[in-house]
Amino acid sequence: AQKITQTQPGMFVQEKEAVTLDCTYDTSDPSYGLFWYKQPSSGEMIFLIYQGSYDQQNATEGRYSLNFQKARKSANLVISASQLGDSAMYFCAMREEGSSGGYQKVTFGTGTKLQVIP
Amino acid sequence: KAGVTQTPRYLIKTRGQQVTLSCSPISGHRSVSWYQQTPGQGLQFLFEYFSETQRNKGNFPGRFSGRQFSNSRSEMNVSTLELGDSALYLCASSLGRVSYNEQFFGPGTRLTVL
C-alpha cells in the first residue's frame, strides 16, 4: 500500500487565490513527521513546512499552512495568496519514528504540479 | 551556513561505465540520504547513512552503492551503467534520525547515460 498518496497530478490556481494540495498517508507508527517540499523547474527540493504527529496545532510558515487531520490521516498543504513563483511540483513526505528507537526512511508522494495563472 | 552541495552537477556517461557522485551535507548534519528522480518513477529512495553506517536501503540493484565518511560527506557509486539510470540524483541531509528532522536537499546531479 502507498504510504503517501497525492491524488492531484496537476492543479491550476489564479494568482492571489488560495489553493489546497491534498496528501493522505498510511502508518501504524504513533510517532511520525509530515513534510511538504517544493521543487521548482530548476530541480532543487525546498523544505516548506513540518507537522509532527503529536502536534496539537496545525503548522504554519508564512503563506503556507498544513491542515492536519490525524483521524483522517490527511496533511493537506494550503498556500494562501498564490504568487507566480509558487508554480512548481509539490511533494508530501513522511518519516516514521520506527520501533525500538530506530527510524524509517522518508517516503515521498508522487507530487502535485501547481501552476499559478496571472 | 552553507547548504548541501553535490558534485558534479551534470554528468554524461555511456552504458557499462561506472560513476561516483559526491554529497557534502550541511555542517553538523550526520544523516545523508540519496534519491533517484525520474519522470516515470518519481522520487525513489536509494539509501540513508548515519554516522558512516547504512541505516536504510531502497529497492535498487547491487550496482548502486554508497558510503559515508567520518566528516559525514557521502558518495554514491553506480557501476555498469544502464540507460535507465539516467536521472536526477538528489542528496539530502538532516541533523539526526528522529521523525521531526527535516531533510535539506542539494541541487542534484543530473546523470545522462548514452
Side-chain angles (χ1 to χ4, degrees):
Chain A
Q2 291 288 335
K3 289 213 168 189
I4 297 284
T5 302
Q6 294 181 256
T7 57
Q8 307 151 313
M11 288 193 71
F12 291 91
V13 64
Q14 205 75 36
E15 194 178 4
K16 299 180 185 177
E17 296 290 311
V19 63
T20 298
L21 307 183
D22 295 341
C23 172
T24 57
Y25 59 93
D26 182 29
T27 180
S28 57
D29 197 323
S31 180
Y32 52 89
L34 296 158
F35 307 85
W36 276 91
Y37 290 87
K38 171 185 177 181
Q39 187 178 40
S41 55
S42 59
E44 188 163 353
M45 298 279 277
I46 302 166
F47 165 72
L48 294 177
I49 195 167
Y50 159 82
Q51 179 83 44
S53 60
Y54 293 118
D55 292 344
Q56 296 295 313
Q57 292 187 322
N58 288 340
T60 59
E61 287 287 348
R63 294 186 300 110
Y64 304 108
S65 61
L66 202 153
N67 184 359
F68 180 46
Q69 297 186 48
K70 193 170 182 177
R72 295 181 59 188
K73 294 188 175 178
S74 75
N76 299 338
L77 177 70
V78 180
I79 305 174
S80 62
S82 296
Q83 302 172 355
L84 296 177
D86 293 335
S87 294
M89 282 289 286
Y90 288 81
F91 292 92
C92 178
M94 174 175 66
R95 183 199 283 267
E96 298 159 283
E97 191 72 31
S99 59
S100 304
Y103 72 110
Q104 304 298 321
K105 65 180 186 288
V106 179
T107 307
F108 283 80
T110 52
T112 295
K113 184 172 183 178
L114 177 66
Q115 295 185 63
V116 181
I117 305 167
Chain B
K1 188 183 266 189
V4 179
T5 58
Q6 290 186 247
T7 57
R9 293 291 311 278
Y10 302 91
L11 206 49
I12 299 175
K13 292 285 188 179
T14 56
R15 279 181 299 173
Q17 287 187 306
Q18 75 164 19
V19 66
T20 298
L21 311 182
S22 180
C23 172
S24 292
I26 292 172
S27 178
H29 284 195
R30 296 169 63 192
S31 173
V32 174
S33 297
W34 289 89
Y35 297 87
Q36 181 196 65
Q37 188 176 30
T38 59
Q41 298 296 319
L43 201 63
Q44 292 190 289
F45 172 78
L46 280 157
F47 25 66
E48 182 171 13
Y49 287 87
F50 182 84
S51 294
E52 303 177 64
T53 302
Q54 187 179 88
R55 303 293 177 164
N56 274 305
K57 190 178 191 304
N59 296 324
F60 278 82
R63 300 186 297 106
F64 291 82
S65 62
R67 58 178 176 168
Q68 186 181 34
F69 303 95
S70 59
N71 61 358
S72 293
R73 190 177 70 85
S74 177
E75 289 181 347
M76 66 162 282
N77 183 278
V78 187
S79 62
T80 320
L81 284 166
E82 300 178 359
L83 295 179
D85 297 332
S86 294
L88 179 67
Y89 290 88
L90 292 165
C91 165
S93 77
S94 61
L95 191 61
R97 323 167 44 185
V98 292
S99 60
Y100 52 81
N101 287 150
E102 68 267 33
Q103 294 182 315
F104 294 89
F105 284 78
T109 294
R110 190 166 295 280
L111 172 65
T112 302
V113 182
L114 303 175

